[in-house]
Amino acid sequence: MHENGTIFIADNDVKTRDLVSAFLTYLGYNVAVSDGKTPFFDILRKNNVDILIADLMYLQFIAPDFNDCFSLVNPQLVLIGYGDPGVSEIKKDPDIPLFTLSKPLNLDELESLVMRAREHQSMKMYDRTSKKSALHHLLSATMIGSSPPMRALFDMISKVATSNATVLIQGESGTGKELAARAIHQLSDRHGKNFVPVNCAAIPDELLESELFGHVKGSFTGAFANRIGRFEMADNGTLFLDEIGDMKANLQVKMLRVLQNREFEPVGASKSQKVDVRIIAATNKNLEELVVTNDFREDLYYRLSVIPITIPPLRERREDIPLLIHTFLTRFNADKRNAVKGFSREALSILGNYEWPGNVRELENLVERLVILKGSGIIAPDDLPEKYLSGKVPCQAPVYIPRLSPDNLLPEEGICLNSAVDEFENNLIIQALARSGGNKKEAAILLNLKRTTLIEKLKKKNLAFIED
Ligand SMILES: Nc1ncnc2c1ncn2[C@@H]1O[C@H](COP(=O)(O)OP(=O)(O)OP(=O)(O)O)[C@@H](O)[C@H]1O
Ligand SMILES: [Mg+2]
């Protein structure tokens, strides 16, 4: 028997129906036909039908609302249709995958179409799985964090990624704005195309226009040849306008026009050009305040902030600090072939209470520096630069306990149970250690485990980043 769902044959011509049914059964497929009583869409649903072979005239008769209900039946459903007329009626919805077959039916042709339909389904499945694993990759490997604000951020990113809407990412320096922008691009349908970053603050004002829109030869001194701009490079992809708050007024006007019409003129060109670009902008300035002081155009602000995303500073999600330290420590140990074993409880507690004005970037740089300077052993408070020591207080990091709500635990697209359970277990262990200030005995009590069991788990999971 073949894997997958059932093939349903809808034809009022009993001879054809029985022939097709016998043939496909002989080939080993799961086949169903109507019992004449059960409503059409119920049969499709109950039998987990994923291929529908139908006489199109008959289909219109028994299911006039087929177009509307198609994707609700089974997202994998493919229609193999035959008989004229009717194709145009059924094909009103361009999303319906339809393979057509001529009449009288040729059984070889039918067999190859069923195989093509299955291929089509596995490709769709592959797309969905790769999207899911991309999301998983983002959550577990790229953007570290399990605090409530980070979870909300991940949800937001996965939702907006599938749309084409302009996104404005705000947040202090080093919070991960560019990382978030790249994640949105990676999870969008544009991921195969360019992600083009432009740092509006780093390019001199007089060059920024040509950098963005390109120029034609001779349009200004130094324009020796035609040059395409970042907008054109990002065609069909994503343009990341970083530090948008630093853009000067004259360019803001031009930017507004591109956002409105997806049309721009290269410097010195007489004709405008069309582009299909998704725009993500970022700034660590407060754009609303800049609007009030007339330093940023209000209309442009509204155009940009169709979907506003704010990344919270690290000091407002201190419970992410141990996980970030662990990640960076593992990464830099591997990069530099060093073997720093971990942080002492006191050192960890000091870092947990620090204000982190430079946010994740500052933490990342600190861990890199400590791994280089220390090389091996355990990082103690004495190893930390002076500025981290001034606020030496015991760790009072709030601890995030994930709330298990059985209703929304399983994402729509499914989940990899093993890695989800593993991640959940890691989070609980890390939180228990954070709460106990790194004391494994206390953490084991919190987790209702033997100390030795916890230590074994830490070793197995390579989570031994806090040393007693
Ligand atoms: N949640 C996170 N998990 C892992 N690494 C992170 C996270 N957030 C930021 N980083 C790392 O911190 C550094 C700074 O991130 P990024 O450049 O995205 O910040 P930014 O908000 O754009 O900063 P700036 O405003 O200074 O441009 C990068 O090396 C990035 O990989
Ligand atoms: Mg940045």
Side-chain angles (χ1 to χ4, degrees):
M1 191 64 64
H2 289 258
E3 290 174 11
N4 307 307
T6 304
I7 302 177
F8 183 77
I9 303 151
D11 197 334
N12 53 341
D13 171 3
V14 180
K15 255 165 82 191
T16 311
R17 189 190 74 188
D18 290 348
L19 172 73
V20 172
S21 165
F23 177 63
L24 293 175
T25 308
Y26 165 75
L27 292 178
Y29 290 104
N30 245 339
V31 179
V33 293
S34 168
D35 60 5
K37 283 180 274 177
T38 320
F40 179 67
F41 285 113
D42 277 3
I43 301 182
L44 297 193
R45 254 184 244 114
K46 281 186 188 142
N47 293 294
N48 183 28
V49 171
D50 64 352
I51 294 181
L52 171 63
I53 300 181
D55 177 295
L56 295 173
M57 276 276 261
Y58 179 62
L59 183 63
Q60 266 169 268
F61 173 69
I62 54 165
D65 46 0
F66 184 77
N67 257 291
D68 302 328
C69 301
F70 181 85
S71 58
L72 300 176
V73 175
N74 177 349
Q76 293 295 106
L77 190 66
V78 172
L79 171 63
I80 298 180
Y82 51 84
D84 276 346
V87 175
S88 58
E89 263 307 297
I90 288 291
K91 263 313 259 184
K92 261 192 282 183
D93 180 351
D95 285 338
I96 295 183
L98 169 67
F99 296 85
T100 48
L101 200 57
S102 49
K103 233 179 163 180
L105 296 187
N106 172 327
L107 292 182
D108 288 338
E109 196 186 350
L110 176 67
E111 184 183 358
S112 85
L113 275 193
V114 169
M115 276 162 33
R116 268 181 56 200
R118 287 275 192 248
E119 262 167 39
H120 176 92
Q121 284 165 337
S122 52
M123 268 164 59
K124 251 178 92 179
M125 229 8 203
Y126 175 77
D127 275 0
R128 285 177 56 200
T129 331
S130 57
K131 224 178 204 161
K132 200 183 98 190
S133 57
L135 178 63
H136 195 257
H137 184 71
L138 156 84
L139 297 181
S140 61
T142 322
M143 289 197 89
I144 308 298
S146 60
S147 56
M150 287 307 273
R151 280 174 185 262
L153 178 71
F154 296 154
D155 275 354
M156 188 70 172
I157 287 178
S158 43
K159 271 190 209 129
V160 304
T162 48
S163 81
N164 255 332
T166 304
V167 178
L168 175 65
I169 307 177
Q170 290 184 276
E172 288 179 15
S173 176
T175 44
K177 296 185 292 296
E178 180 156 354
L179 208 57
R182 286 182 188 273
I184 294 173
H185 173 75
Q186 277 311 320
L187 293 178
S188 74
D189 292 339
R190 297 171 177 261
H191 65 92
K193 298 288 179 323
N194 289 339
F195 175 89
V196 181
V198 194
N199 187 331
C200 304
I203 301 171
D205 294 340
E206 59 282 10
L207 293 183
L208 187 55
E209 182 176 356
S210 133
E211 193 62 38
L212 286 170
F213 305 122
H215 62 243
V216 295
K217 184 176 166 185
S219 52
F220 55 87
T221 326
F224 299 119
N226 288 349
R227 180 158 181 248
I228 69 163
R230 304 279 175 119
F231 264 96
E232 202 173 331
M233 281 181 213
D235 202 12
N236 296 314
T238 304
L239 184 69
F240 177 52
L241 295 170
D242 204 1
E243 315 289 2
I244 188 91
D246 289 78
M247 189 175 266
K248 290 287 166 298
N250 63 332
L251 262 187
Q252 288 180 26
V253 183
K254 294 189 175 157
M255 193 55 68
L256 186 67
R257 192 176 148 224
V258 201
L259 282 173
Q260 276 164 344
N261 315 326
R262 293 291 189 260
E263 213 176 86
F264 65 89
E265 271 154 33
V267 177
S270 49
K271 270 209 319 226
S272 58
Q273 229 169 296
K274 279 239 170 244
V275 269
D276 170 15
V277 166
R278 201 254 177 99
I279 295 192
I280 303 179
T283 176
N284 54 20
K285 298 197 167 160
N286 184 330
L287 279 194
E288 269 179 339
E289 271 172 21
L290 293 184
V291 168
V292 173
T293 55
N294 280 330
D295 290 308
F296 203 83
R297 291 182 67 103
E298 191 175 14
D299 43 12
L300 180 57
Y301 170 68
Y302 286 118
R303 280 271 163 194
L304 287 172
S305 60
V306 178
I307 298 182
I309 291 184
T310 303
I311 307 194
L314 191 55
R315 66 184 162 281
E316 286 175 17
R317 47 182 166 106
R318 290 179 191 276
E319 59 268 58
D320 288 334
I321 293 175
L323 197 54
L324 282 162
I325 291 182
H326 166 64
T327 309
F328 295 142
L329 189 60
T330 314
R331 185 193 304 163
F332 292 124
N333 264 335
D335 279 2
K336 316 213 181 291
R337 296 173 195 280
N338 279 354
V340 173
K341 274 174 77 185
F343 285 65
S344 75
R345 285 165 55 187
E346 219 190 344
L348 203 71
S349 151
I350 291 167
L351 298 182
N353 285 286
Y354 177 68
E355 280 300 285
W356 299 109
N359 293 293
V360 185
R361 179 182 290 111
E362 184 182 356
L363 178 60
E364 189 179 18
N365 292 344
L366 174 71
V367 176
E368 180 174 19
R369 176 174 159 181
L370 291 171
V371 168
I372 294 172
L373 294 180
K374 186 87 180 173
S376 63
I378 293 162
I379 311 276
D382 284 353
D383 299 313
L384 301 177
E386 192 57 38
K387 68 172 173 181
Y388 295 93
L389 299 173
S390 44
K392 239 174 154 180
V393 274
C395 180
Q396 282 158 5
V399 175
Y400 167 58
I401 305 291
R403 273 176 304 255
L404 274 178
S405 150
D407 297 339
N408 58 16
L409 211 54
L410 183 66
E412 232 170 71
E413 69 282 9
I415 203 165
C416 167
L417 183 66
N418 286 343
S419 48
V421 170
D422 207 41
E423 196 186 323
F424 186 61
E425 194 182 12
N426 288 354
N427 276 334
L428 286 175
I429 293 177
I430 287 168
Q431 283 158 28
L433 284 164
R435 198 191 288 185
S436 68
N439 184 316
K440 286 175 194 146
K441 195 167 159 206
E442 280 173 31
I445 293 171
L446 281 172
L447 296 168
N448 220 333
L449 291 176
K450 278 198 211 144
R451 184 174 174 274
T452 45
T453 316
L454 175 62
I455 291 172
E456 251 168 51
K457 274 188 186 292
L458 287 171
K459 271 204 195 119
K460 211 158 114 199
K461 290 169 173 291
N462 194 18
L463 280 174
F465 67 106
I466 307 170
E467 289 296 319
D468 284 327

